[in-house]
Amino acid sequence: MALPSPVRRGRVSARTADLAVTAAVTVLVTGWTAFSILSAPVGSESLPRTLLGWLLIAVACGALPLRRRAPVAVAVVTLLASVVYYPTSSHDGPLMVTFALALYTAAAEGRFAAAAALASATLLAVGLGEMRQETGRRQIDDTSLVMLAGWLISLVAVGRAQRTRLAYLREAEQHALAAHREQEARALQSVAEERLRIAREVHDVLGHSLSLIHVQSSAALHGLTRRPAPAEALPAATRALEAVKATSKDALRELRGTLGVLRQGAEEAPIAPVSGLGRLDELVGRARAAGLDVTTRTEGTARRLPPALDLAAYRIVQESLTNVTRHARASEVLITLTWTDEALGLCVEDDGEGSPDGGAGGSGLRGMAERARAFGGELTAGDTGQGFRVSARLPLTGPLAPTGLAPTRLTTTRGTE
């Protein structure tokens, strides 16, 4: 079977090359034969034999353009034309070149067995024919016969080597194409993972801050409408608006830091403290300003965490407080950090009503679970009978970098958000 055209640099170039080779061989055979006829004495060959010789040349050369489509048939035709031509013509023309080209093409097109059989038959026929000649009338001596054998073997071997080379190029092309596709798939996966990470960060930052701003602005508006006396209304409204200002400032800072990865390389990202458990007091302070009684408790000895894991722990606590503010209608919240040699345990428990929709499909809860799962941890959420609890376990000895965006299993009896 012929190799696909991409290996041969396209259909047009392959056809053009074949036609050029055919034209060159045709010019060689016809020119050499014409020169032999003109150089021979007049009347050295009869007209019928000369016409027969030209007919055989036309048949052999005319079959060459089809050698890619029917390599074995063309090789047989050129061989038969040569077999008839040389005994009948007195002019020793190079018609055998057409058979050589057809034999090479048959081997190069994958017809190795047929090419080897034709080469063997040719060598055997020439040898038997020379052996039957009378002494002194042989046209090919033993040395020439050996050279002919080497010539035929070389044609078949070179044709097979070309076939192997084309097959190797085709395989290398396929491997390169597969590698390119795999690289594109990995690039798309990386883009999707980065987009999901950014979306999760923006959700956590904006969701938490906007929830607190909503509660604080509602408290300020409530105080102004229920307390018409400026002496009573203004101090409470001032405290609420100051909390709104601080919360919005922190939200803008964290949002700029999150979106800094989208900036061009020549533009510097804003310099700001990285969110982590070291800023837990600020997070708790904003929640207290929103009216929640938040208590923090630490068990075990705290340690320094890698930045990615520290941010994940902070975001889990932040999103839990956001859900308490938006859904739970709670008044008290207990945040417990449990440190061991193997893992960090996070527990955020409130005395509220939990999620009003009772579903587990909220993006906030899924985001928390994905953060825990990315570090080999786990997260559970559900009612306690006296409120709602979110518990997470983040291993300290496992992979301290996100492992991908594999589907996350979440244990819950009532969703948040």
Side-chain angles (χ1 to χ4, degrees):
M1 180 179 64
L3 289 175
S5 57
V7 176
R8 303 185 198 138
R9 304 179 184 176
R11 292 182 181 274
V12 176
S13 60
R15 185 180 297 112
T16 302
D18 286 345
L19 292 177
V21 172
T22 300
V25 171
T26 302
V27 170
L28 173 65
V29 173
T30 56
W32 192 322
T33 303
F35 178 78
S36 299
I37 294 175
L38 293 177
S39 300
V42 178
S44 61
E45 185 180 68
S46 63
L47 181 60
R49 284 193 175 189
T50 302
L51 294 178
L52 177 61
W54 283 111
L55 177 61
L56 293 173
I57 291 174
V59 170
C61 293
L64 290 181
L66 303 176
R67 70 185 189 279
R68 296 290 183 185
R69 190 175 304 174
V72 177
V74 172
V76 171
V77 169
T78 54
L79 176 60
L80 294 177
S82 300
V83 169
V84 177
Y85 175 80
Y86 285 104
T88 59
S89 177
S90 60
H91 306 291
D92 193 11
L95 185 61
M96 195 68 177
V97 176
T98 59
F99 172 66
L101 178 59
L103 185 67
Y104 164 81
T105 304
E109 291 295 317
R111 307 297 197 275
F112 178 73
L118 287 174
S120 301
T122 301
L123 184 61
L124 182 61
V126 172
L128 291 177
E130 292 298 318
M131 290 176 60
R132 296 180 60 182
Q133 295 290 334
E134 297 179 2
T135 305
R137 300 187 60 182
R138 292 182 59 182
Q139 298 181 357
I140 302 178
D141 56 16
D142 293 341
T143 302
S144 299
L145 190 61
V146 172
M147 293 179 62
L148 176 63
W151 184 54
L152 294 175
I153 293 174
S154 299
L155 288 173
V156 176
V158 172
R160 184 173 179 83
Q162 178 67 4
R163 171 72 180 185
T164 303
R165 173 180 173 274
L166 294 178
Y168 171 78
L169 292 177
R170 177 63 177 176
E171 184 178 359
E173 180 184 6
Q174 291 177 348
H175 282 307
L177 182 60
H180 179 68
R181 290 176 177 173
E182 183 180 0
Q183 184 178 7
E184 288 184 343
R186 289 181 178 177
L188 291 176
Q189 182 181 5
S190 299
V191 170
E193 292 177 357
E194 186 65 13
R195 289 177 60 185
L196 181 56
R197 188 191 69 81
I198 294 174
R200 190 166 54 223
E201 289 290 325
V202 172
H203 170 273
D204 291 348
V205 171
L206 293 183
H208 175 76
S209 300
L210 292 180
S211 296
L212 294 181
I213 290 173
H214 172 73
V215 172
Q216 292 159 351
S217 60
S218 298
L221 181 62
H222 178 77
L224 290 174
T225 55
R226 295 294 298 273
R227 299 176 183 177
E232 299 179 2
L234 290 180
T238 300
R239 288 193 299 270
L241 292 177
E242 288 176 349
V244 168
K245 179 181 178 180
T247 302
S248 60
K249 181 179 179 181
D250 291 340
L252 286 174
R253 177 187 52 77
E254 293 200 24
L255 184 60
R256 287 170 181 164
T258 301
L259 299 181
V261 296
L262 300 179
R263 298 177 181 270
Q264 298 180 357
E267 183 179 358
E268 297 182 357
I271 301 176
V274 179
S275 297
L277 293 181
R279 302 185 61 207
L280 184 61
D281 291 341
E282 298 179 21
L283 184 65
V284 170
R286 290 197 296 266
R288 287 171 179 167
L292 291 175
D293 182 8
V294 183
T295 303
T296 59
R297 183 172 62 189
T298 301
E299 299 177 356
T301 303
R303 64 176 65 181
R304 186 179 183 84
L305 298 176
L309 183 60
D310 197 17
L311 177 61
Y314 178 85
R315 293 298 188 210
I316 290 174
V317 176
Q318 182 185 51
E319 182 60 24
S320 299
L321 291 177
T322 300
N323 290 329
V324 172
T325 304
R326 296 176 60 183
H327 304 302
R329 298 179 184 177
S331 59
E332 295 182 359
V333 180
L334 174 61
I335 301 174
T336 304
L337 305 180
T338 303
W339 296 87
T340 65
D341 294 336
E342 294 79 19
L344 166 64
L346 302 174
C347 180
V348 181
E349 187 174 1
D350 63 71
D351 61 351
E353 301 176 359
S355 174
D357 58 7
S363 58
L365 194 58
R366 286 201 307 269
M368 288 190 290
E370 288 172 355
R371 290 183 186 277
R373 178 67 179 84
F375 293 90
E378 57 185 359
L379 185 139
T380 59
D383 290 324
T384 62
Q386 299 177 347
F388 198 83
R389 177 190 297 135
V390 175
S391 299
R393 181 181 181 275
L394 303 177
L396 302 181
T397 57
L400 298 182
T403 57
L405 300 178
T408 303
R409 183 177 181 182
L410 173 65
T411 303
T412 180
T413 58
R414 175 180 296 181
T416 62
E417 186 176 343

